[in-house]
Amino acid sequence: MTRSWSIILPWATPPVKPNGGHGNVYAHAAKVKRTRQTMGLLARQAGIPPLAACRVELTWFVPDRIKRDVDNLTWTLKPLCDALAGTKAWDHKIVPDDTPEFMVKPMPAIIYRPGEPKEMILTITEIPCTT
């Protein structure tokens, strides 16, 4: 039986963006750190146990058809995945590393959901280890 966890993230929009610090590396680093700390806490609260490997999918649900670049979501996905495999005190290490043998990270998705508020969900699914 495959286990899966869907975590509703506390952000309506991606917290880490390619131009989020507008050139200020300290502001950008602070956003990355806060995002990673938040993900570590959410993963612990969800009770995700250590896994051999996992698939991590980021989905952003939006209420309108404004053009958005899905590539920009990868800037948020990276600290989320780092928090699931990292060694910082605030990380929740569920897999040995965030390399492809332990963590599959498909391109994030943006899904139109009319009449609903913006919402970001991270889905973590247990998969067999490839090693």
Side-chain angles (χ1 to χ4, degrees), residues 58-88:
L58 177 61
T59 307
W60 186 22
F61 296 95
V62 297
D64 51 50
R65 294 193 185 271
I66 293 173
K67 286 183 87 169
R68 295 172 174 92
D69 188 351
V70 72
D71 291 349
N72 291 338
L73 285 174
T74 60
W75 286 72
T76 293
L77 180 61
K78 177 163 179 29
L80 299 177
C81 292
D82 287 346
L84 299 175
T87 57
K88 303 280 188 199

Side-chain angles (χ1 to χ4, degrees), residues 1-81:
M1 180 174 165
T2 302
R3 298 182 290 177
S4 186
W5 298 263
S6 289
I7 299 173
I8 298 172
L9 301 174
W11 309 287
T13 60
V16 182
K17 300 172 184 137
N19 300 317
H22 299 287
N24 184 329
V25 295
Y26 300 107
H28 178 77
K31 287 179 185 178
V32 168
K33 182 178 180 180
R34 281 192 306 272
T35 301
R36 189 168 169 169
Q37 288 174 326
T38 300
M39 186 67 243
L41 175 65
L42 292 171
R44 278 192 298 284
Q45 288 175 343
I48 303 172
L51 306 170
C54 66
R55 178 181 180 92
V56 179
E57 299 172 271
L58 177 61
T59 307
W60 186 22
F61 296 95
V62 297
D64 51 50
R65 294 193 185 271
I66 293 173
K67 286 183 87 169
R68 295 172 174 92
D69 188 351
V70 72
D71 291 349
N72 291 338
L73 285 174
T74 60
W75 286 72
T76 293
L77 180 61
K78 177 163 179 29
L80 299 177
C81 292

